[in-house]
Amino acid sequence: MDTLAPVLDFFRQGFSTVNGVQGLIIALVAALLLPSMGRLPVFVVGATLVHIVVDALLPVLARGAPLRLPDVMGLPFWRYVAVLLAGYLIVILILALIKRVVLRR
């Protein structure tokens, strides 16, 4: 069980990162648009890209701040992307399963 602890911690961190208003709205829209579970990886990547774009544009639109692009060459950015991917995988999967049960598809 000790070998799984880092993996579980990584998914917990991803879930808590996505478990904000912005992440939940993006995940809810993705889950509602998800046609089948086979398309889940595509929707997870799409939701992650939308999250990164919103992170970059929100300060510009809300406060008129200058546009600051993320440091795509840095390791912290890619760790953040991996955490978002893990979080969106969990949240979109849960919301899609709830949608499937409620809508009986």
Side-chain angles (χ1 to χ4, degrees):
M1 190 66 180
D2 290 337
T3 58
L4 288 178
V7 174
L8 293 176
D9 287 341
F10 187 75
F11 277 102
R12 276 189 211 109
Q13 183 183 7
F15 180 76
S16 65
T17 301
V18 173
N19 201 13
V21 175
Q22 173 186 341
L24 289 177
I25 291 171
I26 293 170
L28 181 63
V29 170
L32 289 175
L33 295 176
L34 184 68
S36 69
M37 289 298 185
R39 302 291 293 169
L40 182 65
V42 175
F43 276 75
V44 167
V45 170
T48 302
L49 290 174
V50 168
H51 191 106
I52 293 168
V53 168
V54 169
D55 277 350
L57 291 180
L58 197 58
V60 174
L61 298 174
R63 296 185 302 265
L67 179 64
R68 294 187 61 209
L69 297 177
D71 180 22
V72 296
M73 298 302 287
L75 187 61
F77 172 75
W78 292 108
R79 175 153 173 80
Y80 178 64
V81 168
V83 166
L84 284 176
L85 285 169
Y88 276 117
L89 176 67
I90 295 168
V91 175
I92 293 173
L93 180 63
I94 290 170
L95 292 174
L97 290 174
I98 291 171
K99 179 185 95 168
R100 179 175 273 183
V101 167
V102 169
L103 297 180
R104 299 282 179 195
R105 275 196 190 186

